PDB file of all heavy atoms in Angstrom:
ATOM      1  N   ALA A   3     -24.935 130.219  13.455  1.00  0.00           N
ATOM      2  CA  ALA A   3     -24.234 130.866  12.336  1.00  0.00           C
ATOM      3  C   ALA A   3     -25.005 130.703  11.028  1.00  0.00           C
ATOM      4  O   ALA A   3     -25.013 131.609  10.192  1.00  0.00           O
ATOM      5  CB  ALA A   3     -22.830 130.279  12.191  1.00  0.00           C
ATOM      6  N   CYS A   4     -25.673 129.576  10.871  1.00  0.00           N
ATOM      7  CA  CYS A   4     -26.449 129.332   9.656  1.00  0.00           C
ATOM      8  C   CYS A   4     -27.738 130.148   9.618  1.00  0.00           C
ATOM      9  O   CYS A   4     -28.406 130.199   8.586  1.00  0.00           O
ATOM     10  CB  CYS A   4     -26.772 127.845   9.529  1.00  0.00           C
ATOM     11  SG  CYS A   4     -25.328 126.832   9.171  1.00  0.00           S
ATOM     12  N   CYS A   5     -28.081 130.802  10.705  1.00  0.00           N
ATOM     13  CA  CYS A   5     -29.310 131.596  10.785  1.00  0.00           C
ATOM     14  C   CYS A   5     -29.059 133.081  10.563  1.00  0.00           C
ATOM     15  O   CYS A   5     -29.922 133.904  10.887  1.00  0.00           O
ATOM     16  CB  CYS A   5     -29.973 131.379  12.153  1.00  0.00           C
ATOM     17  SG  CYS A   5     -30.631 129.737  12.372  1.00  0.00           S
ATOM     18  N   ARG A   6     -27.933 133.438  10.021  1.00  0.00           N
ATOM     19  CA  ARG A   6     -27.608 134.861   9.855  1.00  0.00           C
ATOM     20  C   ARG A   6     -28.669 135.631   9.082  1.00  0.00           C
ATOM     21  O   ARG A   6     -28.982 136.763   9.407  1.00  0.00           O
ATOM     22  CB  ARG A   6     -26.262 135.006   9.148  1.00  0.00           C
ATOM     23  CG  ARG A   6     -25.095 134.721  10.044  1.00  0.00           C
ATOM     24  CD  ARG A   6     -23.785 135.050   9.329  1.00  0.00           C
ATOM     25  NE  ARG A   6     -22.680 134.735  10.189  1.00  0.00           N
ATOM     26  CZ  ARG A   6     -21.802 133.775   9.936  1.00  0.00           C
ATOM     27  NH1 ARG A   6     -21.904 133.053   8.850  1.00  0.00           N
ATOM     28  NH2 ARG A   6     -20.808 133.556  10.767  1.00  0.00           N
ATOM     29  N   LYS A   7     -29.219 135.022   8.034  1.00  0.00           N
ATOM     30  CA  LYS A   7     -30.200 135.723   7.197  1.00  0.00           C
ATOM     31  C   LYS A   7     -31.498 136.018   7.941  1.00  0.00           C
ATOM     32  O   LYS A   7     -32.224 136.930   7.562  1.00  0.00           O
ATOM     33  CB  LYS A   7     -30.523 134.899   5.952  1.00  0.00           C
ATOM     34  CG  LYS A   7     -29.393 134.835   4.966  1.00  0.00           C
ATOM     35  CD  LYS A   7     -29.801 134.054   3.745  1.00  0.00           C
ATOM     36  CE  LYS A   7     -28.665 133.973   2.748  1.00  0.00           C
ATOM     37  NZ  LYS A   7     -29.039 133.201   1.558  1.00  0.00           N
ATOM     38  N   ILE A   8     -31.790 135.248   8.980  1.00  0.00           N
ATOM     39  CA  ILE A   8     -33.046 135.425   9.708  1.00  0.00           C
ATOM     40  C   ILE A   8     -32.813 135.840  11.156  1.00  0.00           C
ATOM     41  O   ILE A   8     -33.706 135.746  11.986  1.00  0.00           O
ATOM     42  CB  ILE A   8     -33.901 134.137   9.643  1.00  0.00           C
ATOM     43  CG1 ILE A   8     -33.147 132.942  10.223  1.00  0.00           C
ATOM     44  CG2 ILE A   8     -34.378 133.878   8.235  1.00  0.00           C
ATOM     45  CD1 ILE A   8     -33.974 131.681  10.382  1.00  0.00           C
ATOM     46  N   LYS A   9     -31.639 136.334  11.440  1.00  0.00           N
ATOM     47  CA  LYS A   9     -31.256 136.615  12.829  1.00  0.00           C
ATOM     48  C   LYS A   9     -32.187 137.587  13.537  1.00  0.00           C
ATOM     49  O   LYS A   9     -32.352 137.515  14.747  1.00  0.00           O
ATOM     50  CB  LYS A   9     -29.821 137.110  12.908  1.00  0.00           C
ATOM     51  CG  LYS A   9     -29.600 138.468  12.289  1.00  0.00           C
ATOM     52  CD  LYS A   9     -28.155 138.867  12.350  1.00  0.00           C
ATOM     53  CE  LYS A   9     -27.948 140.216  11.702  1.00  0.00           C
ATOM     54  NZ  LYS A   9     -26.549 140.581  11.687  1.00  0.00           N
ATOM     55  N   GLU A  10     -32.818 138.483  12.819  1.00  0.00           N
ATOM     56  CA  GLU A  10     -33.710 139.464  13.441  1.00  0.00           C
ATOM     57  C   GLU A  10     -35.054 138.854  13.821  1.00  0.00           C
ATOM     58  O   GLU A  10     -35.797 139.433  14.597  1.00  0.00           O
ATOM     59  CB  GLU A  10     -33.931 140.653  12.498  1.00  0.00           C
ATOM     60  CG  GLU A  10     -32.654 141.372  12.106  1.00  0.00           C
ATOM     61  CD  GLU A  10     -31.890 141.935  13.292  1.00  0.00           C
ATOM     62  OE1 GLU A  10     -32.533 142.391  14.250  1.00  0.00           O
ATOM     63  OE2 GLU A  10     -30.654 141.924  13.249  1.00  0.00           O
ATOM     64  N   ARG A  11     -35.372 137.676  13.272  1.00  0.00           N
ATOM     65  CA  ARG A  11     -36.691 137.082  13.502  1.00  0.00           C
ATOM     66  C   ARG A  11     -36.669 135.849  14.398  1.00  0.00           C
ATOM     67  O   ARG A  11     -37.727 135.337  14.753  1.00  0.00           O
ATOM     68  CB  ARG A  11     -37.319 136.714  12.155  1.00  0.00           C
ATOM     69  CG  ARG A  11     -37.634 137.929  11.302  1.00  0.00           C
ATOM     70  CD  ARG A  11     -38.383 137.565  10.045  1.00  0.00           C
ATOM     71  NE  ARG A  11     -37.714 136.582   9.219  1.00  0.00           N
ATOM     72  CZ  ARG A  11     -36.764 136.842   8.321  1.00  0.00           C
ATOM     73  NH1 ARG A  11     -36.356 138.078   8.153  1.00  0.00           N
ATOM     74  NH2 ARG A  11     -36.230 135.889   7.594  1.00  0.00           N
ATOM     75  N   ILE A  12     -35.502 135.358  14.765  1.00  0.00           N
ATOM     76  CA  ILE A  12     -35.462 134.151  15.586  1.00  0.00           C
ATOM     77  C   ILE A  12     -35.229 134.497  17.048  1.00  0.00           C
ATOM     78  O   ILE A  12     -34.704 135.550  17.371  1.00  0.00           O
ATOM     79  CB  ILE A  12     -34.374 133.163  15.120  1.00  0.00           C
ATOM     80  CG1 ILE A  12     -32.985 133.790  15.219  1.00  0.00           C
ATOM     81  CG2 ILE A  12     -34.657 132.659  13.725  1.00  0.00           C
ATOM     82  CD1 ILE A  12     -31.851 132.825  14.976  1.00  0.00           C
ATOM     83  N   GLY A  13     -35.653 133.606  17.905  1.00  0.00           N
ATOM     84  CA  GLY A  13     -35.379 133.741  19.325  1.00  0.00           C
ATOM     85  C   GLY A  13     -34.421 132.636  19.735  1.00  0.00           C
ATOM     86  O   GLY A  13     -34.499 131.520  19.217  1.00  0.00           O
ATOM     87  N   ALA A  14     -33.518 132.926  20.618  1.00  0.00           N
ATOM     88  CA  ALA A  14     -32.575 131.915  21.100  1.00  0.00           C
ATOM     89  C   ALA A  14     -32.575 131.946  22.621  1.00  0.00           C
ATOM     90  O   ALA A  14     -32.705 133.002  23.232  1.00  0.00           O
ATOM     91  CB  ALA A  14     -31.174 132.187  20.564  1.00  0.00           C
ATOM     92  N   PHE A  15     -32.467 130.775  23.211  1.00  0.00           N
ATOM     93  CA  PHE A  15     -32.464 130.696  24.660  1.00  0.00           C
ATOM     94  C   PHE A  15     -31.672 129.478  25.119  1.00  0.00           C
ATOM     95  O   PHE A  15     -31.394 128.581  24.331  1.00  0.00           O
ATOM     96  CB  PHE A  15     -33.898 130.629  25.201  1.00  0.00           C
ATOM     97  CG  PHE A  15     -34.667 129.428  24.702  1.00  0.00           C
ATOM     98  CD1 PHE A  15     -34.703 128.268  25.449  1.00  0.00           C
ATOM     99  CD2 PHE A  15     -35.348 129.469  23.500  1.00  0.00           C
ATOM    100  CE1 PHE A  15     -35.402 127.154  24.998  1.00  0.00           C
ATOM    101  CE2 PHE A  15     -36.053 128.377  23.042  1.00  0.00           C
ATOM    102  CZ  PHE A  15     -36.080 127.210  23.790  1.00  0.00           C
ATOM    103  N   THR A  16     -31.287 129.498  26.376  1.00  0.00           N
ATOM    104  CA  THR A  16     -30.642 128.344  26.997  1.00  0.00           C
ATOM    105  C   THR A  16     -31.543 127.870  28.136  1.00  0.00           C
ATOM    106  O   THR A  16     -32.380 128.618  28.632  1.00  0.00           O
ATOM    107  CB  THR A  16     -29.250 128.692  27.560  1.00  0.00           C
ATOM    108  OG1 THR A  16     -29.383 129.754  28.494  1.00  0.00           O
ATOM    109  CG2 THR A  16     -28.292 129.095  26.457  1.00  0.00           C
ATOM    110  N   ILE A  17     -31.396 126.627  28.497  1.00  0.00           N
ATOM    111  CA  ILE A  17     -32.200 126.040  29.565  1.00  0.00           C
ATOM    112  C   ILE A  17     -31.262 125.630  30.692  1.00  0.00           C
ATOM    113  O   ILE A  17     -30.266 124.941  30.469  1.00  0.00           O
ATOM    114  CB  ILE A  17     -32.975 124.818  29.059  1.00  0.00           C
ATOM    115  CG1 ILE A  17     -33.933 125.222  27.943  1.00  0.00           C
ATOM    116  CG2 ILE A  17     -33.726 124.150  30.203  1.00  0.00           C
ATOM    117  CD1 ILE A  17     -34.611 124.074  27.267  1.00  0.00           C
ATOM    118  N   ASP A  18     -31.592 126.058  31.878  1.00  0.00           N
ATOM    119  CA  ASP A  18     -30.792 125.717  33.046  1.00  0.00           C
ATOM    120  C   ASP A  18     -31.374 124.469  33.712  1.00  0.00           C
ATOM    121  O   ASP A  18     -32.566 124.392  33.965  1.00  0.00           O
ATOM    122  CB  ASP A  18     -30.809 126.894  34.020  1.00  0.00           C
ATOM    123  CG  ASP A  18     -29.897 126.674  35.213  1.00  0.00           C
ATOM    124  OD1 ASP A  18     -29.058 125.759  35.159  1.00  0.00           O
ATOM    125  OD2 ASP A  18     -30.026 127.415  36.186  1.00  0.00           O
ATOM    126  N   HIS A  19     -30.530 123.485  33.922  1.00  0.00           N
ATOM    127  CA  HIS A  19     -30.929 122.328  34.701  1.00  0.00           C
ATOM    128  C   HIS A  19     -29.704 121.797  35.438  1.00  0.00           C
ATOM    129  O   HIS A  19     -28.577 122.165  35.132  1.00  0.00           O
ATOM    130  CB  HIS A  19     -31.599 121.244  33.845  1.00  0.00           C
ATOM    131  CG  HIS A  19     -30.748 120.726  32.735  1.00  0.00           C
ATOM    132  ND1 HIS A  19     -29.843 119.703  32.897  1.00  0.00           N
ATOM    133  CD2 HIS A  19     -30.664 121.099  31.438  1.00  0.00           C
ATOM    134  CE1 HIS A  19     -29.246 119.468  31.749  1.00  0.00           C
ATOM    135  NE2 HIS A  19     -29.718 120.291  30.854  1.00  0.00           N
ATOM    136  N   ALA A  20     -29.925 120.964  36.414  1.00  0.00           N
ATOM    137  CA  ALA A  20     -28.869 120.535  37.336  1.00  0.00           C
ATOM    138  C   ALA A  20     -27.653 119.926  36.652  1.00  0.00           C
ATOM    139  O   ALA A  20     -26.533 120.072  37.125  1.00  0.00           O
ATOM    140  CB  ALA A  20     -29.439 119.547  38.350  1.00  0.00           C
ATOM    141  N   GLU A  21     -27.838 119.276  35.528  1.00  0.00           N
ATOM    142  CA  GLU A  21     -26.724 118.599  34.869  1.00  0.00           C
ATOM    143  C   GLU A  21     -26.283 119.294  33.580  1.00  0.00           C
ATOM    144  O   GLU A  21     -25.653 118.684  32.730  1.00  0.00           O
ATOM    145  CB  GLU A  21     -27.115 117.146  34.602  1.00  0.00           C
ATOM    146  CG  GLU A  21     -27.379 116.395  35.904  1.00  0.00           C
ATOM    147  CD  GLU A  21     -27.794 114.957  35.670  1.00  0.00           C
ATOM    148  OE1 GLU A  21     -27.457 114.403  34.622  1.00  0.00           O
ATOM    149  OE2 GLU A  21     -28.453 114.400  36.556  1.00  0.00           O
ATOM    150  N   ALA A  22     -26.604 120.568  33.458  1.00  0.00           N
ATOM    151  CA  ALA A  22     -26.272 121.305  32.240  1.00  0.00           C
ATOM    152  C   ALA A  22     -24.779 121.570  32.105  1.00  0.00           C
ATOM    153  O   ALA A  22     -24.291 121.811  31.018  1.00  0.00           O
ATOM    154  CB  ALA A  22     -27.035 122.624  32.196  1.00  0.00           C
ATOM    155  N   GLY A  23     -24.052 121.532  33.204  1.00  0.00           N
ATOM    156  CA  GLY A  23     -22.613 121.778  33.134  1.00  0.00           C
ATOM    157  C   GLY A  23     -22.312 123.200  32.719  1.00  0.00           C
ATOM    158  O   GLY A  23     -23.077 124.119  32.987  1.00  0.00           O
ATOM    159  N   PRO A  24     -21.197 123.400  32.033  1.00  0.00           N
ATOM    160  CA  PRO A  24     -20.788 124.766  31.678  1.00  0.00           C
ATOM    161  C   PRO A  24     -21.703 125.429  30.650  1.00  0.00           C
ATOM    162  O   PRO A  24     -21.711 126.642  30.530  1.00  0.00           O
ATOM    163  CB  PRO A  24     -19.385 124.580  31.111  1.00  0.00           C
ATOM    164  CG  PRO A  24     -19.346 123.171  30.655  1.00  0.00           C
ATOM    165  CD  PRO A  24     -20.238 122.402  31.600  1.00  0.00           C
ATOM    166  N   ASP A  25     -22.506 124.636  29.914  1.00  0.00           N
ATOM    167  CA  ASP A  25     -23.371 125.224  28.899  1.00  0.00           C
ATOM    168  C   ASP A  25     -24.327 126.253  29.475  1.00  0.00           C
ATOM    169  O   ASP A  25     -24.655 127.232  28.843  1.00  0.00           O
ATOM    170  CB  ASP A  25     -24.185 124.150  28.180  1.00  0.00           C
ATOM    171  CG  ASP A  25     -23.327 123.269  27.296  1.00  0.00           C
ATOM    172  OD1 ASP A  25     -22.161 123.651  27.050  1.00  0.00           O
ATOM    173  OD2 ASP A  25     -23.798 122.234  26.866  1.00  0.00           O
ATOM    174  N   ARG A  26     -24.791 126.050  30.690  1.00  0.00           N
ATOM    175  CA  ARG A  26     -25.743 126.994  31.263  1.00  0.00           C
ATOM    176  C   ARG A  26     -25.089 128.256  31.754  1.00  0.00           C
ATOM    177  O   ARG A  26     -25.752 129.254  32.024  1.00  0.00           O
ATOM    178  CB  ARG A  26     -26.508 126.342  32.406  1.00  0.00           C
ATOM    179  CG  ARG A  26     -25.660 126.064  33.596  1.00  0.00           C
ATOM    180  CD  ARG A  26     -26.461 125.428  34.698  1.00  0.00           C
ATOM    181  NE  ARG A  26     -25.573 125.082  35.778  1.00  0.00           N
ATOM    182  CZ  ARG A  26     -25.919 124.402  36.823  1.00  0.00           C
ATOM    183  NH1 ARG A  26     -27.144 123.989  36.941  1.00  0.00           N
ATOM    184  NH2 ARG A  26     -25.060 124.133  37.767  1.00  0.00           N
ATOM    185  N   ASP A  27     -23.769 128.262  31.880  1.00  0.00           N
ATOM    186  CA  ASP A  27     -23.039 129.416  32.387  1.00  0.00           C
ATOM    187  C   ASP A  27     -22.530 130.344  31.286  1.00  0.00           C
ATOM    188  O   ASP A  27     -22.003 131.391  31.562  1.00  0.00           O
ATOM    189  CB  ASP A  27     -21.856 128.974  33.254  1.00  0.00           C
ATOM    190  CG  ASP A  27     -22.315 128.194  34.468  1.00  0.00           C
ATOM    191  OD1 ASP A  27     -23.405 128.496  34.992  1.00  0.00           O
ATOM    192  OD2 ASP A  27     -21.594 127.284  34.882  1.00  0.00           O
ATOM    193  N   ILE A  28     -22.685 129.944  30.044  1.00  0.00           N
ATOM    194  CA  ILE A  28     -22.162 130.732  28.929  1.00  0.00           C
ATOM    195  C   ILE A  28     -23.352 131.294  28.169  1.00  0.00           C
ATOM    196  O   ILE A  28     -24.059 130.575  27.492  1.00  0.00           O
ATOM    197  CB  ILE A  28     -21.285 129.871  28.000  1.00  0.00           C
ATOM    198  CG1 ILE A  28     -20.107 129.283  28.806  1.00  0.00           C
ATOM    199  CG2 ILE A  28     -20.778 130.702  26.825  1.00  0.00           C
ATOM    200  CD1 ILE A  28     -19.293 128.285  28.050  1.00  0.00           C
TER     201      ILE A  28
END
């Protein structure tokens, strides 16, 4: 949310690993 001003220039990703829990599913 704090990156709104630069949202067009940033990349976001999630990392899947065995113990990621629900975070990797969203």
Side-chain angles (χ1 to χ4, degrees):
C4 291
C5 291
R6 284 187 182 114
K7 290 182 181 179
I8 58 172
K9 68 182 179 183
E10 301 301 324
R11 294 186 304 276
I12 61 171
F15 60 94
T16 57
I17 299 173
D18 185 14
H19 59 86
E21 297 179 24
D25 291 347
R26 69 180 175 187
D27 298 327
I28 301 172

